[in-house]
mmCIF file of all heavy atoms in Angstrom:
data_model
loop_
_atom_site.group_PDB
_atom_site.id
_atom_site.type_symbol
_atom_site.label_atom_id
_atom_site.label_comp_id
_atom_site.label_asym_id
_atom_site.label_seq_id
_atom_site.Cartn_x
_atom_site.Cartn_y
_atom_site.Cartn_z
ATOM 1 N N ASP A 11 -17.670 9.223 0.020
ATOM 2 C CA ASP A 11 -17.922 8.042 0.825
ATOM 3 C C ASP A 11 -18.114 6.821 -0.075
ATOM 4 O O ASP A 11 -17.672 5.719 0.235
ATOM 5 C CB ASP A 11 -19.155 8.272 1.700
ATOM 6 C CG ASP A 11 -19.082 7.453 2.982
ATOM 7 O OD1 ASP A 11 -17.961 7.083 3.389
ATOM 8 O OD2 ASP A 11 -20.139 7.170 3.558
ATOM 9 N N ASP A 16 -15.950 1.874 -2.408
ATOM 10 C CA ASP A 16 -15.522 1.101 -3.576
ATOM 11 C C ASP A 16 -14.050 0.705 -3.452
ATOM 12 O O ASP A 16 -13.660 -0.408 -3.795
ATOM 13 C CB ASP A 16 -15.709 1.924 -4.859
ATOM 14 C CG ASP A 16 -17.182 2.174 -5.169
ATOM 15 O OD1 ASP A 16 -18.036 1.520 -4.563
ATOM 16 O OD2 ASP A 16 -17.454 3.043 -6.021
ATOM 17 N N GLY A 20 -12.367 -3.041 -2.948
ATOM 18 C CA GLY A 20 -11.425 -3.548 -3.944
ATOM 19 C C GLY A 20 -12.029 -3.650 -5.329
ATOM 20 O O GLY A 20 -11.560 -4.420 -6.154
ATOM 21 N N LEU A 22 -12.549 -1.148 -7.623
ATOM 22 C CA LEU A 22 -12.213 -0.128 -8.619
ATOM 23 C C LEU A 22 -11.282 -0.686 -9.682
ATOM 24 O O LEU A 22 -10.426 -1.524 -9.395
ATOM 25 C CB LEU A 22 -11.538 1.069 -7.947
ATOM 26 C CG LEU A 22 -12.411 1.875 -6.982
ATOM 27 C CD1 LEU A 22 -11.565 2.944 -6.288
ATOM 28 C CD2 LEU A 22 -13.572 2.511 -7.721
ATOM 29 N N ARG A 27 -8.508 3.287 -9.262
ATOM 30 C CA ARG A 27 -7.796 2.871 -8.061
ATOM 31 C C ARG A 27 -6.563 3.743 -7.830
ATOM 32 O O ARG A 27 -6.282 4.175 -6.720
ATOM 33 C CB ARG A 27 -7.392 1.408 -8.254
ATOM 34 C CG ARG A 27 -6.856 0.761 -7.046
ATOM 35 C CD ARG A 27 -6.662 -0.728 -7.275
ATOM 36 N NE ARG A 27 -5.808 -1.223 -6.235
ATOM 37 C CZ ARG A 27 -6.220 -1.453 -5.009
ATOM 38 N NH1 ARG A 27 -7.476 -1.299 -4.691
ATOM 39 N NH2 ARG A 27 -5.384 -1.849 -4.072
ATOM 40 N N ARG A 41 -8.955 9.355 3.688
ATOM 41 C CA ARG A 41 -8.316 8.148 4.231
ATOM 42 C C ARG A 41 -9.128 7.599 5.418
ATOM 43 O O ARG A 41 -9.286 6.394 5.569
ATOM 44 C CB ARG A 41 -6.888 8.462 4.658
ATOM 45 C CG ARG A 41 -6.084 7.205 4.976
ATOM 46 C CD ARG A 41 -4.664 7.557 5.326
ATOM 47 N NE ARG A 41 -4.626 8.404 6.506
ATOM 48 C CZ ARG A 41 -3.705 9.328 6.737
ATOM 49 N NH1 ARG A 41 -2.739 9.521 5.884
ATOM 50 N NH2 ARG A 41 -3.741 10.060 7.828
ATOM 51 N N ARG A 43 -12.310 7.846 5.838
ATOM 52 C CA ARG A 43 -13.487 7.159 5.300
ATOM 53 C C ARG A 43 -13.117 5.752 4.836
ATOM 54 O O ARG A 43 -13.828 4.786 5.120
ATOM 55 C CB ARG A 43 -14.049 7.934 4.104
ATOM 56 C CG ARG A 43 -14.747 9.229 4.452
ATOM 57 C CD ARG A 43 -15.220 9.901 3.154
ATOM 58 N NE ARG A 43 -15.642 11.280 3.358
ATOM 59 C CZ ARG A 43 -16.870 11.627 3.721
ATOM 60 N NH1 ARG A 43 -17.782 10.694 3.917
ATOM 61 N NH2 ARG A 43 -17.188 12.896 3.893
ATOM 62 N N GLU A 45 -10.641 3.913 5.802
ATOM 63 C CA GLU A 45 -10.327 3.069 6.958
ATOM 64 C C GLU A 45 -11.595 2.614 7.667
ATOM 65 O O GLU A 45 -11.656 1.509 8.206
ATOM 66 C CB GLU A 45 -9.386 3.809 7.913
ATOM 67 C CG GLU A 45 -7.965 3.883 7.355
ATOM 68 C CD GLU A 45 -7.059 4.816 8.158
ATOM 69 O OE1 GLU A 45 -7.565 5.509 9.074
ATOM 70 O OE2 GLU A 45 -5.855 4.860 7.851
ATOM 71 N N ASP A 55 -12.396 -11.371 6.538
ATOM 72 C CA ASP A 55 -11.164 -12.147 6.356
ATOM 73 C C ASP A 55 -11.095 -13.347 7.296
ATOM 74 O O ASP A 55 -10.333 -14.278 7.059
ATOM 75 C CB ASP A 55 -9.935 -11.251 6.590
ATOM 76 C CG ASP A 55 -9.718 -10.281 5.446
ATOM 77 O OD1 ASP A 55 -10.072 -10.615 4.305
ATOM 78 O OD2 ASP A 55 -9.185 -9.181 5.685
ATOM 79 N N GLU A 57 -13.001 -15.667 7.604
ATOM 80 C CA GLU A 57 -13.412 -16.924 6.974
ATOM 81 C C GLU A 57 -12.381 -17.435 5.974
ATOM 82 O O GLU A 57 -12.495 -18.556 5.491
ATOM 83 C CB GLU A 57 -14.753 -16.762 6.266
ATOM 84 C CG GLU A 57 -14.639 -16.068 4.944
ATOM 85 C CD GLU A 57 -15.965 -16.049 4.193
ATOM 86 O OE1 GLU A 57 -17.000 -15.717 4.792
ATOM 87 O OE2 GLU A 57 -15.949 -16.389 3.013
ATOM 88 N N TRP A 68 9.958 -16.287 3.910
ATOM 89 C CA TRP A 68 10.641 -15.577 4.994
ATOM 90 C C TRP A 68 12.115 -15.340 4.632
ATOM 91 O O TRP A 68 12.662 -14.267 4.905
ATOM 92 C CB TRP A 68 10.533 -16.325 6.320
ATOM 93 C CG TRP A 68 11.386 -15.685 7.376
ATOM 94 C CD1 TRP A 68 12.552 -16.145 7.888
ATOM 95 C CD2 TRP A 68 11.156 -14.400 7.989
ATOM 96 N NE1 TRP A 68 13.074 -15.246 8.786
ATOM 97 C CE2 TRP A 68 12.230 -14.162 8.864
ATOM 98 C CE3 TRP A 68 10.148 -13.435 7.871
ATOM 99 C CZ2 TRP A 68 12.336 -12.998 9.636
ATOM 100 C CZ3 TRP A 68 10.247 -12.272 8.626
ATOM 101 C CH2 TRP A 68 11.332 -12.063 9.500
ATOM 102 N N PRO A 193 17.235 4.235 1.671
ATOM 103 C CA PRO A 193 16.101 5.007 1.161
ATOM 104 C C PRO A 193 14.803 4.540 1.813
ATOM 105 O O PRO A 193 14.606 3.344 2.033
ATOM 106 C CB PRO A 193 16.091 4.694 -0.333
ATOM 107 C CG PRO A 193 17.437 4.158 -0.639
ATOM 108 C CD PRO A 193 17.978 3.561 0.612
ATOM 109 N N GLN A 212 2.878 12.116 9.014
ATOM 110 C CA GLN A 212 3.360 10.874 9.622
ATOM 111 C C GLN A 212 4.423 10.229 8.761
ATOM 112 O O GLN A 212 5.339 9.598 9.248
ATOM 113 C CB GLN A 212 2.197 9.892 9.775
ATOM 114 C CG GLN A 212 1.249 10.302 10.882
ATOM 115 C CD GLN A 212 0.265 9.185 11.173
ATOM 116 O OE1 GLN A 212 -0.145 8.492 10.261
ATOM 117 N NE2 GLN A 212 -0.097 9.030 12.414
ATOM 118 N N PRO A 234 8.653 -3.573 -5.442
ATOM 119 C CA PRO A 234 8.320 -4.833 -4.773
ATOM 120 C C PRO A 234 9.275 -5.171 -3.635
ATOM 121 O O PRO A 234 8.986 -6.043 -2.842
ATOM 122 C CB PRO A 234 8.419 -5.861 -5.907
ATOM 123 C CG PRO A 234 9.349 -5.264 -6.897
ATOM 124 C CD PRO A 234 9.178 -3.763 -6.795
ATOM 125 N N THR A 235 10.390 -4.485 -3.558
ATOM 126 C CA THR A 235 11.385 -4.868 -2.562
ATOM 127 C C THR A 235 11.437 -3.927 -1.378
ATOM 128 O O THR A 235 12.051 -4.233 -0.373
ATOM 129 C CB THR A 235 12.792 -4.888 -3.182
ATOM 130 O OG1 THR A 235 13.147 -3.529 -3.529
ATOM 131 C CG2 THR A 235 12.836 -5.750 -4.421
ATOM 132 N N GLY A 236 10.818 -2.784 -1.486
ATOM 133 C CA GLY A 236 10.958 -1.804 -0.415
ATOM 134 C C GLY A 236 12.131 -0.867 -0.624
ATOM 135 O O GLY A 236 12.350 0.039 0.166
ATOM 136 N N ARG B 23 10.179 -11.566 12.994
ATOM 137 C CA ARG B 23 9.985 -12.978 12.659
ATOM 138 C C ARG B 23 8.789 -13.539 13.425
ATOM 139 O O ARG B 23 7.977 -14.290 12.895
ATOM 140 C CB ARG B 23 11.270 -13.771 13.000
ATOM 141 C CG ARG B 23 11.125 -15.281 12.866
ATOM 142 C CD ARG B 23 10.895 -15.631 11.406
ATOM 143 N NE ARG B 23 10.265 -16.933 11.230
ATOM 144 C CZ ARG B 23 10.866 -17.982 10.683
ATOM 145 N NH1 ARG B 23 12.117 -17.890 10.290
ATOM 146 N NH2 ARG B 23 10.222 -19.111 10.535
ATOM 147 N N ALA B 31 0.337 -16.914 7.614
ATOM 148 C CA ALA B 31 -0.609 -17.882 7.035
ATOM 149 C C ALA B 31 -1.939 -17.195 6.721
ATOM 150 O O ALA B 31 -2.599 -17.502 5.724
ATOM 151 C CB ALA B 31 -0.820 -19.053 7.992
ATOM 152 N N LYS B 32 -2.299 -16.249 7.569
ATOM 153 C CA LYS B 32 -3.521 -15.474 7.321
ATOM 154 C C LYS B 32 -3.376 -14.645 6.037
ATOM 155 O O LYS B 32 -4.233 -14.666 5.157
ATOM 156 C CB LYS B 32 -3.760 -14.556 8.522
ATOM 157 C CG LYS B 32 -4.830 -13.524 8.333
ATOM 158 C CD LYS B 32 -6.156 -13.995 8.840
ATOM 159 C CE LYS B 32 -7.078 -14.418 7.775
ATOM 160 N NZ LYS B 32 -8.252 -15.094 8.179
ATOM 161 N N ARG B 39 -6.544 -15.936 -2.478
ATOM 162 C CA ARG B 39 -7.903 -15.838 -3.032
ATOM 163 C C ARG B 39 -7.940 -14.854 -4.194
ATOM 164 O O ARG B 39 -8.762 -14.972 -5.085
ATOM 165 C CB ARG B 39 -8.889 -15.427 -1.941
ATOM 166 C CG ARG B 39 -9.094 -16.527 -0.927
ATOM 167 C CD ARG B 39 -10.137 -16.183 0.088
ATOM 168 N NE ARG B 39 -11.490 -16.479 -0.383
ATOM 169 C CZ ARG B 39 -12.550 -16.550 0.408
ATOM 170 N NH1 ARG B 39 -12.414 -16.352 1.706
ATOM 171 N NH2 ARG B 39 -13.745 -16.813 -0.082
ATOM 172 N N ASP B 53 6.758 -9.329 -0.747
ATOM 173 C CA ASP B 53 6.699 -7.865 -0.869
ATOM 174 C C ASP B 53 5.935 -7.245 0.293
ATOM 175 O O ASP B 53 6.320 -6.196 0.824
ATOM 176 C CB ASP B 53 5.971 -7.456 -2.157
ATOM 177 C CG ASP B 53 6.718 -7.868 -3.398
ATOM 178 O OD1 ASP B 53 7.885 -8.261 -3.275
ATOM 179 O OD2 ASP B 53 6.120 -7.799 -4.489
ATOM 180 N N VAL B 56 8.026 -7.140 3.453
ATOM 181 C CA VAL B 56 9.071 -6.107 3.360
ATOM 182 C C VAL B 56 8.436 -4.725 3.571
ATOM 183 O O VAL B 56 8.973 -3.871 4.262
ATOM 184 C CB VAL B 56 9.804 -6.185 2.002
ATOM 185 C CG1 VAL B 56 10.743 -5.001 1.831
ATOM 186 C CG2 VAL B 56 10.583 -7.495 1.897
ATOM 187 N N ARG B 60 9.097 -1.994 6.621
ATOM 188 C CA ARG B 60 9.499 -0.616 6.376
ATOM 189 C C ARG B 60 8.486 0.392 6.898
ATOM 190 O O ARG B 60 8.829 1.516 7.208
ATOM 191 C CB ARG B 60 9.735 -0.391 4.883
ATOM 192 C CG ARG B 60 10.846 -1.260 4.321
ATOM 193 C CD ARG B 60 11.112 -0.917 2.876
ATOM 194 N NE ARG B 60 11.550 0.469 2.738
ATOM 195 C CZ ARG B 60 12.785 0.889 2.960
ATOM 196 N NH1 ARG B 60 13.710 0.036 3.318
ATOM 197 N NH2 ARG B 60 13.087 2.151 2.830
ATOM 198 N N ARG B 69 -6.086 3.689 14.706
ATOM 199 C CA ARG B 69 -6.777 3.727 13.414
ATOM 200 C C ARG B 69 -7.158 2.357 12.897
ATOM 201 O O ARG B 69 -8.084 2.234 12.103
ATOM 202 C CB ARG B 69 -5.917 4.458 12.379
ATOM 203 C CG ARG B 69 -5.933 5.970 12.590
ATOM 204 C CD ARG B 69 -4.842 6.684 11.827
ATOM 205 N NE ARG B 69 -4.815 6.328 10.415
ATOM 206 C CZ ARG B 69 -3.813 6.610 9.609
ATOM 207 N NH1 ARG B 69 -2.751 7.245 10.078
ATOM 208 N NH2 ARG B 69 -3.853 6.259 8.353
ATOM 209 N N ASN B 82 -4.260 -4.918 -0.817
ATOM 210 C CA ASN B 82 -3.946 -3.864 -1.785
ATOM 211 C C ASN B 82 -2.825 -4.290 -2.726
ATOM 212 O O ASN B 82 -2.892 -4.050 -3.932
ATOM 213 C CB ASN B 82 -3.572 -2.572 -1.054
ATOM 214 C CG ASN B 82 -4.807 -1.845 -0.542
ATOM 215 O OD1 ASN B 82 -5.909 -2.057 -1.044
ATOM 216 N ND2 ASN B 82 -4.624 -1.005 0.456
ATOM 217 N N ASP B 86 -3.309 -4.736 -6.663
ATOM 218 C CA ASP B 86 -2.449 -3.993 -7.597
ATOM 219 C C ASP B 86 -1.839 -4.943 -8.625
ATOM 220 O O ASP B 86 -1.777 -4.639 -9.818
ATOM 221 C CB ASP B 86 -1.327 -3.276 -6.834
ATOM 222 C CG ASP B 86 -1.827 -2.032 -6.110
ATOM 223 O OD1 ASP B 86 -2.894 -1.507 -6.504
ATOM 224 O OD2 ASP B 86 -1.165 -1.591 -5.157
ATOM 225 N N ARG B 89 -4.553 -6.102 -11.045
ATOM 226 C CA ARG B 89 -4.924 -5.065 -12.004
ATOM 227 C C ARG B 89 -3.841 -4.890 -13.069
ATOM 228 O O ARG B 89 -4.135 -4.637 -14.234
ATOM 229 C CB ARG B 89 -5.152 -3.731 -11.301
ATOM 230 C CG ARG B 89 -6.296 -3.692 -10.338
ATOM 231 C CD ARG B 89 -7.641 -3.692 -11.021
ATOM 232 N NE ARG B 89 -8.693 -3.546 -10.016
ATOM 233 C CZ ARG B 89 -9.259 -4.573 -9.391
ATOM 234 N NH1 ARG B 89 -8.915 -5.816 -9.695
ATOM 235 N NH2 ARG B 89 -10.185 -4.369 -8.478
ATOM 236 N N HIS B 126 -20.967 -11.529 9.136
ATOM 237 C CA HIS B 126 -21.614 -12.635 8.439
ATOM 238 C C HIS B 126 -23.129 -12.624 8.639
ATOM 239 O O HIS B 126 -23.881 -12.952 7.722
ATOM 240 C CB HIS B 126 -21.009 -13.968 8.866
ATOM 241 C CG HIS B 126 -19.685 -14.228 8.225
ATOM 242 N ND1 HIS B 126 -18.497 -14.122 8.902
ATOM 243 C CD2 HIS B 126 -19.366 -14.516 6.949
ATOM 244 C CE1 HIS B 126 -17.496 -14.357 8.059
ATOM 245 N NE2 HIS B 126 -17.988 -14.596 6.876
ATOM 246 N N ARG B 141 -19.005 -10.513 -1.960
ATOM 247 C CA ARG B 141 -17.910 -11.444 -1.674
ATOM 248 C C ARG B 141 -16.944 -11.554 -2.851
ATOM 249 O O ARG B 141 -15.734 -11.659 -2.669
ATOM 250 C CB ARG B 141 -18.467 -12.825 -1.327
ATOM 251 C CG ARG B 141 -19.410 -12.817 -0.137
ATOM 252 C CD ARG B 141 -20.132 -14.151 -0.027
ATOM 253 N NE ARG B 141 -19.158 -15.182 0.254
ATOM 254 C CZ ARG B 141 -18.752 -15.473 1.476
ATOM 255 N NH1 ARG B 141 -19.267 -14.853 2.512
ATOM 256 N NH2 ARG B 141 -17.854 -16.396 1.668
ATOM 257 N N TYR B 150 -16.019 -3.874 -10.500
ATOM 258 C CA TYR B 150 -17.440 -3.802 -10.838
ATOM 259 C C TYR B 150 -17.666 -4.190 -12.299
ATOM 260 O O TYR B 150 -18.614 -4.895 -12.638
ATOM 261 C CB TYR B 150 -17.960 -2.371 -10.631
ATOM 262 C CG TYR B 150 -18.158 -1.971 -9.189
ATOM 263 C CD1 TYR B 150 -17.732 -0.720 -8.737
ATOM 264 C CD2 TYR B 150 -18.782 -2.815 -8.278
ATOM 265 C CE1 TYR B 150 -17.929 -0.328 -7.424
ATOM 266 C CE2 TYR B 150 -18.979 -2.435 -6.963
ATOM 267 C CZ TYR B 150 -18.550 -1.185 -6.540
ATOM 268 O OH TYR B 150 -18.742 -0.804 -5.243
ATOM 269 N N ARG B 169 -23.347 -1.524 -3.566
ATOM 270 C CA ARG B 169 -23.250 -0.438 -2.581
ATOM 271 C C ARG B 169 -24.424 -0.467 -1.608
ATOM 272 O O ARG B 169 -24.264 -0.276 -0.412
ATOM 273 C CB ARG B 169 -23.199 0.901 -3.308
ATOM 274 C CG ARG B 169 -21.879 1.170 -4.023
ATOM 275 C CD ARG B 169 -22.007 2.356 -4.930
ATOM 276 N NE ARG B 169 -20.749 2.704 -5.594
ATOM 277 C CZ ARG B 169 -20.690 3.443 -6.701
ATOM 278 N NH1 ARG B 169 -21.797 3.912 -7.246
ATOM 279 N NH2 ARG B 169 -19.526 3.721 -7.252
ATOM 280 N N HIS B 188 -23.156 9.425 6.996
ATOM 281 C CA HIS B 188 -23.277 10.537 6.066
ATOM 282 C C HIS B 188 -24.649 10.636 5.440
ATOM 283 O O HIS B 188 -24.866 11.439 4.572
ATOM 284 C CB HIS B 188 -22.236 10.417 4.966
ATOM 285 C CG HIS B 188 -20.862 10.258 5.521
ATOM 286 N ND1 HIS B 188 -20.224 11.273 6.174
ATOM 287 C CD2 HIS B 188 -20.043 9.196 5.557
ATOM 288 C CE1 HIS B 188 -19.047 10.833 6.574
ATOM 289 N NE2 HIS B 188 -18.914 9.600 6.212
#
Side-chain angles (χ1 to χ4, degrees):
Chain A
D11 208 23
D16 293 347
L22 294 174
R27 190 172 164 77
R41 191 177 61 211
R43 288 179 192 273
E45 286 170 353
D55 287 330
E57 78 174 47
W68 172 253
Q212 287 190 324
T235 67
Chain B
R23 172 66 201 248
K32 170 94 257 169
R39 290 185 84 164
D53 295 348
V56 172
R60 299 185 62 80
R69 285 165 52 194
N82 282 338
D86 284 339
R89 296 287 184 271
H126 283 105
R141 302 169 65 86
Y150 285 136
R169 288 169 177 160
H188 307 291

